[in-house]
């Protein structure tokens, strides 16, 4: 029997997946005693560290007793569900993490459904039992119910459960008896997760993720399904559409700790990285040279939202970014679709405009943020949901929305959601919070988070998950207020902003360069207002005591990229450059807006 266990760690966002992987790595003494590693070792790119979320799944492996455990850390956000769906193909079992207070959340359901459908063996870890108000027994019941509802097999329903706190570094079979290490969990993995099976026969390996190295180019990562793969072996690459390419393996690596080590051959059941194969995509099969057989292609759920991407054509284009041409932006978007399976890029009638389809606002905003850091300048339009025609009727994506909120402000949340065609399904107390569940059109969620956080003084916890396509629910009210638009190009002055403060709230500070058509702030009424924020104070010789007022300016409102994406309307763009983010009208002059504005009505 070969001693390999392949496990994926799945959970809702922020339930402690990456922290648990940290503790496993430390427990299996991957590091020297004097090595400085920090927290969240696997969240290794800047975006993941800043946001505190996992975006790309990672592979590591540890040696426990005499068993090699390959661990796959997966993202928790529904927007990155595409990542989770494909890496589960590499695993034989899953660790399902669940917060001892929050219980099973929408994303927990989504990833569990995928894992059970693939027939993987689950181990349930009830994490964060050190939290006050935690309810481990109730959460265990909740998960059992969830498994039952998702039609788990008898064997899957008989899951072992481990309690603990990955932050404090302990796991135990009884939550009231804390231990000092996490070996109870690793013992459960060795005992319950089936060993990786050895399948005899010709080579079959599916590429489930990819890595890039500036020395050797693209590296294919996947699990050897059948047979063995060797260095220098001639192989056949079978593309997703069945096309066949003859090629050769140059180098082979297996995972050890956080890195890879070179090896000469890898047998079935282990996860490896292959160098030297060109032109592959995720989902392709590496098969035998003479008698190639294809593995079933990975199926990924469809995108639910699209956004318009275009070159930056504002008066400030090219000042801050290096990569501004349509050719460079198109190449970058196509390159992204190679590794991001849930993303789709469609060309439009104009050579400078593309429609990018994704899973949600976060999915698309991470792409925009990554491009901006690489030196690209782009403009993006308002996110739109994808509407389908089923049996001659218009259908739209419906989401399940869960909000946990203090009881005294729950009425405001229900009002906000029902205005956007949401239906309240469940309302129950949960600790000292009120737990609300709704069904709401995906259109209604765009821009909702800001309003809910404002209404609840930042105390609401929101999560949502795609449910199904259902008949169109009718029109949803958009943004209630108009915007303040700049009338001239120049530098904003404190004097003019001060004088215009009774007209609305500003998004910019004094001394900022602006151009005609740029959005300065939010108007107090529902129409747009063109204002001059560049005008300075008239300097005359006349002085009278008491007429010179000091300017007092309210702090400018600063949007994050996601907030800006939810804020803009159909006739507006966000201009994103490496150094700044501006909101603007698509048509910059007031004359043009009057003539062409009808198309957005």
């Amino acid at each position: 029997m070969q001693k390999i266990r392949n496990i994926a760690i799945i959970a809702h966002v922020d339930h402690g997946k990456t922290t648990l992987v940290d503790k496993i790595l430390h427990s299996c003494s991957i590091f020297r005693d004097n090595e400085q590693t920090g927290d969240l070792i696997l969240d290794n790119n800047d975006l993941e560290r800043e946001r505190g979320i996992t975006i790309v799944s990672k592979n590591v492996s540890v040696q426990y007793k005499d068993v090699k455990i390959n661990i796959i850390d997966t993202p928790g956000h529904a927007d990155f569900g595409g990542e989770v769906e494909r890496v589960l193909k590499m695993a034989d079992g899953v660790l399902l993490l669940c917060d001892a207070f929050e219980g099973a959340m929408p994303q927990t359901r989504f990833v569990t459904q995928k894992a059970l459908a693939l027939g993987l063996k689950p181990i349930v870890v009830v994490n964060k039992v050190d939290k006050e108000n935690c309810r481990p027994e109730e959460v265990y019941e909740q998960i059992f119910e969830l498994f039952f509802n998702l039609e788990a097999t008898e064997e899957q329903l008989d899951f072992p459960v481990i309690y603990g706190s990955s932050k404090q570094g302990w796991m135990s079979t009884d939550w009231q008896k804390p231990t000092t290490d996490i070996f109870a969990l690793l013992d459960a993995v060795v005992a319950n997760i089936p060993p990786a099976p050895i399948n005899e026969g010709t080579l079959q390996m599916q590429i489930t993720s990819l890595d890039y190295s500036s020395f050797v180019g693209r590296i294919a990562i996947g699990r050897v399904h059948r047979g063995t793969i060797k260095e220098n072996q001639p192989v056949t690459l079978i593309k997703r559409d069945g096309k066949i390419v003859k090629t050769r393996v140059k180098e082979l690596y297996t995972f050890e700790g956080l890195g890879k080590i070179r090896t000469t051959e890898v047998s079935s059941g282990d996860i490896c990285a292959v160098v030297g194969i060109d032109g592959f995509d995720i989902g392709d099969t590496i098969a035998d040279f003479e008698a190639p057989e294809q593995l079933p292609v990975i199926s990924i759920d469809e995108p639910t939202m699209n956004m318009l991407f275009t070159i930056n054509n504002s008066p400030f284009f090219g000042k801050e970014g290096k990569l501004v041409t349509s050719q460079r932006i198109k190449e970058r978007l196509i390159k992204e679709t190679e590794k991001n399976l849930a993303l789709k890029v469609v060309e439009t009638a104009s050579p400078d405009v593309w429609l990018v389809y994704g899973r949600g606002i976060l999915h698309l905003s991470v792409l925009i943020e990554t491009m901006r850091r690489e030196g690209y300048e782009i403009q993006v339009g308002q996110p739109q949901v994808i509407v389908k025609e089923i049996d001659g009727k218009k259908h739209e994506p419906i989401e399940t929305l869960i909000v946990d909120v203090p009881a005294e402000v729950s009425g405001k949340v229900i009002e906000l959601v029902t205005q956007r065609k949401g239906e309240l399904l469940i309302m129950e107390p949960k600790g000292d919070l009120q737990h609300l569940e709704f069904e709401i059109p995906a259109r209604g969620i765009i821009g909702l988070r800001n309003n809910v956080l404002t209404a609840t003084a930042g105390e609401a916890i929101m999560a949502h998950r795609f449910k199904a396509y259902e008949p169109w629910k009718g029109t949803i009210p958009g943004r209630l207020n108009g915007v303040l638009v700049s009338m001239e190009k120049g530098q904003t002055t404190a004097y003019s902003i001060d004088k215009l403060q009774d007209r609305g709230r500003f998004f910019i500070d004094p001394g900022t360069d602006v151009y005609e058509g740029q959005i300065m702030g939010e108007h107090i009424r529902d129409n747009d207002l063109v204002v001059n924020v560049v005008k300075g104070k008239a300097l005359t010789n006349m002085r009278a005591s008491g007429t010179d007022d000091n300017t007092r300016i309210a702090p400018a409102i600063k949007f994050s990229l996601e907030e800006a994406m939810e804020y803009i309307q159909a006739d507006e763009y966000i201009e994103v450059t490496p150094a700044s983010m501006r909101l603007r009208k698509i048509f910059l002059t007031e004359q043009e807006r009057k003539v062409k504005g009808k198309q957005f009505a």
Side-chain angles (χ1 to χ4, degrees):
M1 253 341 241
Q2 87 189 64
K3 299 193 172 173
I4 295 178
R5 304 284 189 279
N6 296 319
I7 54 164
I9 298 188
I10 58 175
H12 185 77
V13 62
D14 259 353
H15 281 195
K17 294 177 293 297
T18 308
T19 309
L20 179 63
V21 178
D22 279 5
K23 293 296 183 265
I24 294 175
L25 291 171
H26 283 294
S27 307
C28 295
S29 54
I30 290 291
F31 308 108
R32 300 189 309 278
D33 295 340
N34 61 353
E35 201 168 342
Q36 295 291 315
T37 56
D39 293 337
L40 302 177
I41 304 159
L42 288 195
D43 284 353
N44 51 12
N45 73 33
D46 297 343
L47 253 184
E48 291 183 318
R49 285 203 167 273
E50 281 168 30
R51 290 166 181 253
I53 58 174
T54 304
I55 294 169
V56 185
S57 57
K58 322 277 191 319
N59 296 52
V60 291
S61 94
V62 296
Q63 204 74 23
Y64 177 65
K65 295 184 174 164
D66 56 348
V67 179
K68 177 181 181 182
I69 304 176
N70 286 318
I71 303 168
I72 306 157
D73 181 25
T74 64
H77 273 275
D79 287 28
F80 308 116
E83 279 282 321
V84 183
E85 286 168 47
R86 59 164 213 246
V87 296
L88 285 178
K89 287 267 187 157
M90 295 200 273
D92 294 308
V94 291
L95 291 184
L96 174 65
L97 249 72
C98 204
D99 186 304
F101 170 68
E102 290 187 355
M105 297 290 278
Q107 186 64 11
T108 317
R109 186 188 176 92
F110 171 80
V111 288
T112 308
Q113 193 175 359
K114 297 286 174 202
L116 294 178
L118 287 169
L120 302 177
K121 172 81 180 158
I123 293 179
V124 172
V125 182
V126 178
N127 192 19
K128 306 195 184 184
V129 296
D130 53 322
K131 266 189 172 179
E132 54 192 83
N133 289 346
C134 72
R135 42 197 193 112
E137 275 98 357
E138 276 178 60
V139 169
Y140 170 71
E141 296 293 327
Q142 218 183 1
I143 293 175
F144 188 85
E145 214 168 289
L146 172 70
F147 274 51
F148 185 76
N149 293 342
L150 293 174
E151 298 173 356
T153 61
E154 288 289 323
E155 192 188 356
Q156 286 171 329
L157 278 173
D158 185 21
F159 55 82
V161 62
I162 303 282
Y163 299 94
S165 159
S166 43
K167 192 171 185 181
Q168 294 182 351
W170 64 269
M171 289 285 159
S172 166
T173 48
D174 181 351
W175 70 279
Q176 283 154 336
K177 295 180 187 162
T179 57
T180 53
D181 52 45
I182 61 160
F183 294 137
L185 174 64
L186 295 175
D187 287 330
V189 168
V190 173
N192 295 288
I193 301 291
I198 298 179
N199 299 323
E200 298 295 339
T202 55
L203 168 65
Q204 268 187 320
M205 166 182 162
Q206 189 157 42
I207 299 168
T208 42
S209 55
L210 51 93
D211 201 355
Y212 183 79
S213 147
S214 46
F215 299 110
V216 294
R218 294 168 75 217
I219 302 170
I221 297 172
R223 174 177 164 178
V224 183
H225 178 69
R226 189 175 75 187
T228 53
I229 185 166
K230 298 179 181 143
E231 230 178 34
N232 254 337
Q233 175 182 0
V235 291
T236 304
L237 180 69
I238 308 175
K239 306 288 289 174
R240 293 176 69 134
D241 55 8
K243 202 172 126 207
I244 284 180
V245 182
K246 300 292 187 190
T247 179
R248 182 181 289 275
V249 175
K250 285 187 188 150
E251 293 170 17
L252 266 184
Y253 294 86
T254 55
F255 290 89
E256 185 168 297
L258 291 172
K260 304 184 191 75
I261 53 164
R262 193 160 171 182
T263 180
T264 52
E265 71 173 74
V266 179
S267 54
S268 72
D270 206 353
I271 295 173
C272 67
V274 181
V275 173
I277 292 178
D278 290 329
F280 64 83
D281 291 308
I282 287 170
D284 294 354
T285 306
I286 297 174
D288 187 56
F289 190 73
E290 266 104 32
E293 289 175 53
Q294 187 172 15
L295 283 164
V297 176
I298 301 173
S299 65
I300 294 279
D301 287 358
E302 290 180 17
T304 56
M305 196 170 274
N306 67 19
M307 268 179 93
L308 190 97
F309 276 57
T310 174
I311 56 167
N312 184 9
N313 58 6
S314 81
F316 291 169
F317 80 96
K319 282 188 175 179
E320 294 162 358
K322 302 189 292 291
L323 307 163
V324 293
T325 61
S326 58
Q327 184 62 30
R328 299 300 289 269
I329 294 169
K330 180 183 169 184
E331 282 169 9
R332 178 66 183 83
L333 290 173
I334 300 298
K335 186 177 155 196
E336 185 66 26
T337 57
E338 290 176 358
K339 63 173 187 290
N340 198 335
L341 285 197
L343 200 78
K344 200 167 93 191
V345 177
V346 176
E347 296 193 11
T348 61
S350 160
D352 300 336
V353 179
W354 306 269
L355 274 179
V356 179
Y357 291 76
R359 276 284 179 86
I361 292 232
L362 187 67
H363 188 199
L364 293 164
S365 78
V366 164
L367 168 64
I368 297 166
E369 184 64 42
T370 311
M371 286 177 68
R372 148 191 191 162
R373 290 176 184 217
E374 290 169 5
Y376 287 87
E377 280 193 15
I378 48 175
Q379 293 185 137
V380 293
Q382 185 188 25
Q384 306 283 349
V385 300
I386 297 168
V387 179
K388 286 184 176 178
E389 193 147 308
I390 304 173
D391 303 333
K393 285 190 180 157
K394 198 155 115 177
H395 281 59
E396 64 174 333
I398 301 291
E399 308 242 345
T400 304
L401 171 71
I402 291 183
V403 188
D404 290 338
V405 65
E408 61 274 12
V409 286
S410 59
K412 289 181 187 171
V413 175
I414 294 169
E415 186 188 347
L416 282 170
V417 178
T418 45
Q419 275 172 1
R420 292 165 173 261
K421 304 279 190 260
E423 278 175 50
L424 181 64
L425 305 176
I426 296 173
M427 182 173 182
E428 59 193 20
K430 175 169 159 188
D432 48 3
L433 297 174
Q434 200 75 23
H435 176 78
L436 309 172
E437 284 190 29
F438 302 91
E439 274 184 10
I440 180 171
R443 292 176 296 145
I445 289 183
I446 299 176
L448 177 67
R449 186 179 299 268
N450 267 355
N451 297 352
V452 167
L453 289 176
T454 309
T456 60
E459 292 204 29
I461 301 165
M462 282 176 68
H464 57 89
R465 176 181 67 86
F466 171 68
K467 179 180 167 247
Y469 270 87
E470 287 179 14
W472 184 260
K473 300 274 192 224
T475 53
I476 290 178
R479 189 175 70 201
L480 300 174
N481 296 31
V483 287
L484 303 173
V485 184
S486 172
M487 136 188 331
E488 288 189 27
K489 185 175 176 179
Q491 213 173 51
T492 56
T493 61
Y495 170 77
S496 51
I497 291 180
D498 180 42
K499 294 284 178 255
L500 288 164
Q501 282 193 102
D502 55 345
R503 296 292 186 164
R505 307 180 304 163
F506 278 88
F507 303 155
I508 47 141
D509 297 310
T512 310
D513 284 321
V514 297
Y515 52 79
E516 183 183 4
Q518 188 176 333
I519 295 172
M520 303 284 98
E522 185 173 76
H523 190 199
I524 49 173
R525 301 222 170 100
D526 59 359
N527 62 319
D528 293 347
L529 181 69
V530 180
V531 294
N532 186 347
V533 282
V534 181
K535 189 171 68 178
K537 185 176 179 185
L539 299 177
T540 64
N541 250 348
M542 303 295 284
R543 282 286 174 273
S545 67
T547 54
D548 277 2
D549 298 336
N550 288 336
T551 54
R552 292 193 189 86
I553 297 177
I557 298 166
K558 300 291 183 202
F559 285 136
S560 70
L561 180 57
E562 282 93 34
E563 286 168 347
M565 284 160 73
E566 292 187 340
Y567 184 78
I568 61 169
Q569 297 295 304
D571 63 338
E572 294 160 7
Y573 277 158
I574 307 170
E575 176 189 348
V576 182
T577 72
S580 45
M581 184 178 80
R582 305 180 185 92
L583 305 185
R584 55 162 282 189
K585 289 287 182 184
I586 293 180
F587 301 115
L588 295 178
T589 63
E590 195 174 2
Q591 184 62 35
E592 255 189 315
R593 287 198 291 278
K594 279 178 180 161
V595 174
K596 298 180 178 170
K598 309 251 186 325
Q599 67 190 62
F600 299 112

